[in-house]
Amino acid sequence: MTGRHAAPAPAETDRPPAPTRLRRARLMRVSRIAAGMALAIALVTLLLGWGIRIDRVLRQAPDLPVMVPSTAGAVVLLALSLVLPADHPRAGLVRRLCAAAVLAICGWAVASGAVTAAGDRMSPATALLLTLAALVSLMPPGRPGWVGLSTAGLVLALFALESWLLDLTATQSVGVLTGLSLPTAISLALIFAATLLRAPDRGWVALATAEGTGSRTARTVLPLAILLPVLGAWLTIMATRQGLFPTTLGLTAGAALLGLVSAALVLRLARAQNREERAALEQGRRVAQLLDAIPMAVVVFDAKAEITASNQAARDLAGAGRSVAAWLREARFLDPETRKPLAAAQRPVEALVVARRETGRLVGLFDDTARMRVLRFHCETLRPTGPDAGSLVLTVTDQTDSVTLQDRLSGVQRREALGQLAGGVAHELSNVLGVVRLASDTGLMQTEAAPMRQALETARDACARGSDLTRRMMAFGSDPSHEAPPDDALALIGGALRLIRPSLPAEYRLDASLPEESIGAIRRGIDLQTALLNLVLNARSALSHAARAEGRIAVLVRREGDTLVLTVRDDGPGMSAEALEQAQDPVFGSRQMQDGSGLGLSLTAAFAREMGGSLRLSSRLGHGTEAVLRLPMGPAAPTPEDSDTTPAPADGLSGRRALVVEDDPQFRAMLVEALRLMGLEVTPVGQPDAALDALDRGPRFDLLITDIRLGGPVDGHRLAALALDRQPGLPVLYLSGYAETQVPPERIVPGVMLRKPSSIDALRRAVSVTLRA
């Protein structure tokens, strides 16, 4: 299965992953709690401090600045806008109204002169922080600059708070911070913190609130990084004021304390990073173990098409002493259908990983035993975000068995179809040839004229050739799992040469040197003819690739002891020593051939090994090539005429009654004429129903001669069974144009089998044997 595979968009690897829905809800609760604390401080100041006039609430110590009502009111408005749930339908309107009111309060304070560093007035720092908070509240969360302004407000509020806590006198002496109260600094710090937590997927807040190990470490370290230096500075100031050591020594001690704090934080970060790396390594080992447990080969590529991981199955596929990358780069991958080597752009990594034109494909590969394996490569892209963005996983599965099974099933279906077609054609040809053969024999029995006898003998010989051709055509459509009986080797080779000659160009001469007499029989005759065809076609290809104007191919056949020696020579360009050494390699042949699969020599060599023989090649550049095929042989095969029947006397036929059932009218007419010449009384019919009627009417018949295929639901075997029900002990002679009809499993009535076309002598012997039986 193939298809387009678009390259993934570049991942935003610099942006930390957004918090999950649950963490976002928790952060919103923290934001509302912070805003609620600021609201509580402002309300306590307004109600208890300014309303009931509890001075302790307003001033934590004499002469300290207080949170004035205008500041408390502005904090209440800002806190209310943050306490309101973000998904409230009027949350945006409330936030804008509150922000506008705060800006109005700050504007009125500035215009009326209420913003001053003297007395209980709004301080310049307070006005600045309130204005900044109102502006941020007017901006939609997440807009550019929103995090920067919120962070600036938080930093300024924390600086004011720390300054107020560490050295109040020095803080009040700074103009912008003069008059800034402690409740105001705390409230505004809470307001800015709550504002930042309402959009936790932006800027540094996203990094601090994310789910990763680094973010968890940051959440642990940040409070210490903020509080410890403040604590160190406070201790240094207190020790200096108490006269424990001079100011210079105090500053040195503070610097040393800050250094120790920094070192502790660095070491804590290092420990967290080491822990994370150990966890990553352990996870990598677990992933490697899981990959090794997968039976299919798995190879992981990064976005640059570099291998980052592979499992044991992939390493086994690459073989010992070779890496997976080298195997993918150097293996001789083939098209499994044409056996042609794949072009560079069609190789699995280039097509699936680099170009990403497809997601999967079938690829052929010859293993060390010269057996072609079919591998399925499939590529998938990992998730489009995260640290592994753009990575691909290539899986390789061995599909050889399933493809081979499918090919075998297809081959069986093709052979069945071919067998059916060949059987029908053979049946019709056998009838036609049978008519000609019986007519020729009948004519020879009735004439003495030499010219006529010569013509009839020629027709008889042509029938014999046609009969042999029909039998071989049936053999091509037969099931190769059922081994055919040995056949005459010389006849097989002669028949193959007659088929090969027309396929050669006119400028190429085919010379054959064959023995005059039979040299013996050989098994797997079809494979022998195929091997001869492959050797001759290989010679033809050598001549055509050399662009020869003319050429010669010689075929020599001889017998050495119990071995058939078949030699094929050509006067082509020959082969180099390296090419000769690899000629029987299927990969080399597939790569070299341009007008075929290139597997002829390898298949012929495999056939020779299976038969217990050999194929030897010899060649020299400029002097042609010689192929010598050696195969074991048996004794001479019996002729078809000898194997049809057992010789029997020809007398005793006169006056015997025969019922002939044959659906072909021409063959039936000639068969009846031949039987009558033998002296038989013949009743011919064309269908089984007519034959049964003749049996029912009588008189009694001495012989039933029937074709096996009668063109209907009742064949010759079934007809013979029905005939014996009407006339027990009736002898049966079967006729058939099919080559493989010796002993069918469904046979019911025994009888002599005679294959069409047959001579009149063979017919006479078959009739005599049947009657005697």
Side-chain angles (χ1 to χ4, degrees):
M1 180 181 81
T2 60
R4 293 291 179 188
H5 191 85
E12 298 182 46
T13 55
D14 292 337
R15 176 180 295 179
T20 62
R21 185 187 300 272
L22 179 61
R23 182 167 292 276
R24 183 185 293 274
R26 291 175 179 174
L27 293 175
M28 289 299 296
R29 286 198 297 271
V30 174
S31 172
R32 294 172 64 185
I33 291 173
M37 294 173 62
L39 178 62
I41 292 174
L43 289 177
V44 167
T45 301
L46 283 174
L47 297 177
L48 299 181
W50 296 104
I52 303 179
R53 285 290 181 173
I54 300 177
D55 191 61
R56 190 65 178 175
V57 174
L58 292 177
R59 303 177 192 275
Q60 290 72 37
D63 300 330
L64 291 180
V66 299
M67 176 186 284
V68 297
S70 58
T71 300
V75 170
V76 169
L77 292 173
L78 291 173
L80 284 176
S81 67
L82 293 172
V83 170
L84 190 67
D87 56 354
H88 192 278
R90 299 188 180 277
L93 177 61
V94 172
R95 187 177 65 252
R96 288 190 294 272
L97 291 177
C98 291
V102 171
L103 290 176
I105 292 173
C106 292
W108 170 82
V110 173
S112 62
V115 177
T116 178
D120 292 336
R121 304 292 180 90
M122 182 182 293
S123 69
T126 302
L128 176 62
L129 290 174
L130 288 174
T131 302
L132 193 59
L135 292 175
V136 170
S137 185
L138 287 174
M139 298 173 62
R143 285 293 181 88
W146 182 85
V147 175
L149 290 177
S150 301
T151 303
L154 178 61
V155 170
L156 184 58
L158 290 177
F159 174 74
L161 181 60
E162 291 178 4
S163 300
W164 203 94
L165 293 175
L166 292 177
D167 193 347
L168 179 60
T169 303
T171 301
Q172 295 301 318
S173 64
V174 179
V176 70
L177 297 178
T178 302
L180 179 64
S181 67
L182 179 60
T184 300
I186 296 175
S187 300
L188 290 175
L190 292 172
I191 291 292
F192 282 110
T195 301
L196 287 169
L197 291 176
R198 292 180 71 86
D201 56 350
R202 298 289 176 177
W204 66 269
V205 183
L207 179 62
T209 58
E211 299 287 351
T213 304
S215 297
R216 290 193 293 270
T217 303
R219 288 194 292 272
T220 303
V221 172
L222 272 178
L224 298 177
I226 294 173
L227 295 177
L228 289 180
V230 174
L231 178 60
W234 182 80
L235 291 175
T236 301
I237 292 173
M238 291 297 102
T240 303
R241 287 179 178 176
Q242 295 297 324
L244 298 179
F245 40 74
T247 303
T248 304
L249 185 59
L251 294 176
T252 303
L257 180 60
L258 291 176
L260 291 175
V261 171
S262 300
L265 293 178
V266 169
L267 292 176
R268 185 178 183 86
L269 287 174
R271 184 173 62 182
Q273 186 174 4
N274 291 338
R275 187 164 52 245
E276 182 179 359
E277 289 180 355
R278 287 195 299 270
L281 290 175
E282 182 61 28
Q283 183 179 6
R285 283 193 291 268
R286 288 198 298 268
V287 170
Q289 292 175 352
L290 292 175
L291 288 177
D292 288 341
I294 298 176
M296 71 174 65
V298 179
V299 185
V300 183
F301 294 83
D302 60 16
K304 298 180 180 180
E306 298 291 337
I307 295 179
T308 58
S310 61
N311 66 345
Q312 186 61 45
R315 294 188 289 273
D316 293 341
L317 200 59
R322 183 164 59 170
S323 66
V324 175
W327 175 72
L328 290 171
R329 184 176 60 252
E330 300 170 359
R332 298 175 179 178
F333 294 115
L334 311 170
D335 186 316
E337 295 183 358
T338 64
R339 310 290 179 92
K340 298 291 185 181
L342 294 179
Q346 298 175 329
R347 295 175 64 84
V349 173
E350 284 71 13
L352 305 180
V353 178
V354 178
R356 306 191 192 183
R357 295 189 304 269
E358 309 168 2
T359 57
R361 65 162 36 201
L362 289 176
V363 175
L365 179 69
F366 283 104
D367 58 18
D368 296 336
T369 63
R371 172 175 174 263
M372 194 185 80
R373 301 171 64 183
V374 180
L375 305 177
R376 177 168 185 81
F377 287 79
H378 186 79
C379 187
E380 287 292 341
T381 305
L382 295 180
R383 59 183 183 276
T385 60
D388 296 326
S391 295
L392 299 101
V393 177
L394 182 70
T395 58
V396 187
T397 54
D398 194 333
Q399 301 283 311
T400 305
D401 293 339
S402 60
V403 172
T404 302
L405 178 60
Q406 183 177 359
D407 289 344
R408 287 179 178 175
L409 292 176
S410 301
V412 169
Q413 293 173 349
R414 288 194 299 269
R415 283 193 297 272
E416 288 178 351
L418 179 59
Q420 293 291 333
L421 177 62
V425 173
H427 184 266
E428 294 302 317
L429 285 177
S430 297
N431 285 335
V432 173
L433 294 173
V435 171
V436 177
R437 180 62 186 265
L438 290 177
S440 302
D441 289 347
T442 302
L444 287 170
M445 293 174 62
Q446 297 176 343
T447 182
E448 296 295 336
M452 181 59 69
R453 292 186 64 85
Q454 184 178 1
L456 293 175
E457 289 174 355
T458 302
R460 184 183 61 184
D461 294 340
C463 287
R465 290 178 56 193
S467 176
D468 182 69
L469 180 62
T470 303
R471 183 170 62 88
R472 298 190 187 284
M473 181 177 66
M474 286 293 297
F476 276 105
S478 63
D479 187 352
S481 63
H482 300 293
E483 186 173 330
D487 208 343
D488 185 74
L490 197 59
L492 291 169
I493 295 172
L497 290 175
R498 286 194 295 271
L499 296 175
I500 293 172
R501 288 184 190 275
S503 67
L504 296 178
E507 59 270 20
Y508 296 159
R509 189 171 79 253
L510 177 61
D511 297 334
S513 176
L514 307 180
E516 296 181 358
E517 298 181 355
S518 175
I519 58 176
I522 191 169
R523 296 181 295 108
R524 296 176 59 175
I526 297 301
D527 290 331
L528 172 61
Q529 292 182 318
T530 303
L532 176 58
L533 176 64
N534 284 331
L535 294 177
V536 173
L537 292 182
N538 189 72
R540 184 195 67 178
S541 298
L543 294 173
S544 62
H545 290 167
R548 296 284 298 272
E550 60 181 15
R552 176 177 178 270
I553 302 174
V555 177
L556 295 84
V557 179
R558 69 182 188 274
R559 176 166 183 156
E560 294 182 358
D562 294 334
T563 302
L564 168 67
V565 181
L566 175 62
T567 304
V568 178
R569 299 184 185 135
D570 66 74
D571 58 354
M575 292 185 289
S576 65
E578 180 183 1
L580 185 64
E581 183 179 354
Q582 304 179 69
Q584 298 182 36
D585 182 359
V587 176
F588 179 80
S590 300
R591 187 171 64 251
Q592 299 299 316
M593 297 299 291
Q594 301 298 326
D595 53 356
S597 67
L599 300 177
L601 290 178
S602 62
L603 293 176
T604 302
F607 163 63
R609 289 193 298 269
E610 292 172 5
M611 289 285 291
S614 64
L615 174 65
R616 182 182 58 83
L617 299 176
S618 60
S619 180
R620 286 193 303 163
L621 288 175
H623 292 80
T625 302
E626 179 182 88
V628 179
L629 178 64
R630 294 176 175 270
L631 299 172
M633 296 185 62
T639 62
E641 289 294 323
D642 294 337
S643 60
D644 281 338
T645 60
T646 302
D651 55 357
L653 301 182
S654 299
R656 309 295 288 270
R657 298 179 57 83
L659 176 61
V660 175
V661 187
E662 171 59 57
D663 59 345
D664 186 279
Q666 293 179 331
F667 184 78
R668 182 173 68 243
M670 289 306 307
L671 178 62
V672 169
E673 180 66 22
L675 292 173
R676 284 173 177 169
L677 286 176
M678 299 177 194
L680 281 87
E681 297 180 11
V682 183
T683 300
V685 296
Q687 296 298 328
D689 292 341
L692 296 177
D693 289 342
L695 289 169
D696 290 335
R697 291 193 307 268
R700 183 179 178 86
F701 290 97
D702 299 305
L703 175 65
L704 172 63
I705 302 177
T706 178
D707 191 4
I708 292 181
R709 299 298 178 104
L710 296 174
V714 178
D715 61 3
H717 296 296
R718 180 61 178 162
L719 175 61
L722 295 174
L724 259 67
D725 291 339
R726 290 163 171 79
Q727 186 176 326
L730 178 65
V732 181
L733 172 61
Y734 294 100
L735 301 176
S736 177
Y738 287 85
E740 297 179 351
T741 55
Q742 283 78 10
V743 185
E746 70 275 10
R747 186 167 183 172
I748 301 174
V749 178
V752 176
M753 181 71 64
L754 184 63
R755 184 167 54 84
K756 303 176 185 177
S758 63
S759 66
I760 197 168
D761 290 335
L763 178 61
R764 181 187 295 111
R765 289 195 299 268
V767 171
S768 299
V769 169
T770 305
L771 289 174
R772 291 175 58 193

